[in-house]
Amino acid sequence: EPEVTQTPSHQVTQMGQEVILRCVPISNHLYFYWYRQILGQKVEFLVSFYNNEISEKSEIFDDQFSVERPDGSNFTLKIRSTKLEDSAMYFCASSFAGPPQPQHFGDGTRLSIL
Amino acid sequence: GQQLNQSPQSMFIQEGEDVSMNCTSSSIFNTWLWYKQDPGEGPVLLIALYKAGELTSNGRLTAQFGITRKDSFLNISASIPSDVGIYFCAGQGNTGNQFYFGTGTSLTVIP
């Protein structure tokens, strides 16, 4: 069964450094998402992306965050200047159509900010 | 953002028992999803519900879209050890297209 893949599985970064998290969505999917899950808490929506532009974003997704689809297969999340509170699991998801179509999640990248 | 409360927060049950959990919201939702998350992995979709009153099964799992559209229920029959994990509901309503996730129910099955 096709799946969403994310790399790296664990990223350790010094506070203030830039970090890029990478995702390869399911190949025929058109909608892409990033979510965050702080340890022990619920999954929180960050941003949705369709047709090469952001379609919706949450208040968490401030100017430090950006997303890009640099080619036909990758979808990236960049955090420009990381803070301690950015430490979390970051999940990429994709769907063939927009909501209410269910989203399929990758296994996440654990981001640890030191 | 929207608040979805799940109960119970955690459950410890014997293998073979049935499980019930629910998810409630103060707002009306148009779609409810149920996901299971194993440690160190991403959420995996279990069931999707699109209509008030809808009852949908996936093997031993059954979920219902509450008729008030403010709640949803997930039942697991005859639990087995691999049912262990955290179960999240997610709802999508009239305020934007994003899905809001619940607080999760942690299930432990004792063999």
Side-chain angles (χ1 to χ4, degrees):
Chain A
E1 185 173 322
E3 54 184 32
V4 176
T5 56
Q6 291 185 242
T7 55
S9 56
H10 191 188
Q11 173 82 45
V12 182
T13 301
Q14 291 285 340
M15 186 172 62
Q17 296 292 308
E18 175 183 285
V19 66
I20 298 176
L21 309 182
R22 302 179 191 280
C23 170
V24 178
I26 294 173
S27 62
N28 65 340
H29 284 186
L30 303 175
Y31 291 76
F32 315 117
Y33 311 86
W34 282 102
Y35 289 83
R36 178 182 83 176
Q37 186 179 32
I38 294 170
L39 185 64
Q41 298 187 23
K42 66 181 179 180
V43 176
E44 298 175 291
F45 170 79
L46 293 178
V47 65
S48 59
F49 190 88
Y50 169 70
N51 200 26
N52 278 322
E53 60 182 24
I54 291 173
S55 48
E56 194 167 348
K57 61 183 180 179
S58 73
E59 57 201 26
I60 302 170
F61 193 88
D62 61 22
D63 291 344
Q64 293 299 311
F65 291 88
S66 62
V67 290
E68 192 179 23
R69 186 147 165 87
D71 53 43
S73 58
N74 290 284
F75 179 52
T76 62
L77 174 70
K78 184 196 292 188
I79 308 176
R80 215 175 324 275
S81 177
T82 49
K83 304 187 283 286
L84 292 176
E85 53 264 37
D86 292 328
S87 295
M89 283 290 285
Y90 287 81
F91 291 106
C92 173
S94 70
S95 59
F96 178 72
Q101 182 81 10
Q103 298 151 25
H104 297 267
F105 284 74
D107 282 342
T109 292
R110 177 171 298 284
L111 178 62
S112 299
I113 307 300
L114 304 179
Chain B
Q2 301 282 346
Q3 284 282 15
L4 272 68
N5 294 310
Q6 287 186 244
S7 65
Q9 190 174 8
S10 61
M11 304 179 75
F12 292 81
I13 61 167
Q14 291 285 341
E15 182 178 357
E17 288 184 1
D18 296 344
V19 172
S20 288
M21 60 187 79
N22 68 55
C23 183
T24 58
S25 166
S26 56
S27 306
I28 287 173
F29 283 116
N30 300 320
T31 302
W32 286 97
L33 307 176
W34 283 93
Y35 286 89
K36 177 176 181 263
Q37 186 177 28
D38 291 329
E41 298 184 15
V44 174
L45 181 69
L46 300 173
I47 293 178
L49 302 160
Y50 299 104
K51 246 177 11 180
E54 180 180 351
L55 188 72
T56 297
S57 292
N58 178 7
R60 293 178 295 105
L61 277 61
T62 302
Q64 183 161 26
F65 193 139
I67 56 172
T68 66
R69 294 168 62 196
K70 292 183 177 181
D71 54 14
S72 180
F73 308 88
L74 177 70
N75 296 316
I76 305 173
S77 61
S79 58
I80 59 178
S82 61
D83 290 334
V84 166
I86 301 178
Y87 291 79
F88 287 100
C89 62
Q92 186 250 341
N94 294 326
T95 54
N97 287 325
Q98 64 174 280
F99 277 97
Y100 294 92
F101 277 74
T103 48
T105 292
S106 173
L107 177 64
T108 301
V109 179
I110 303 164

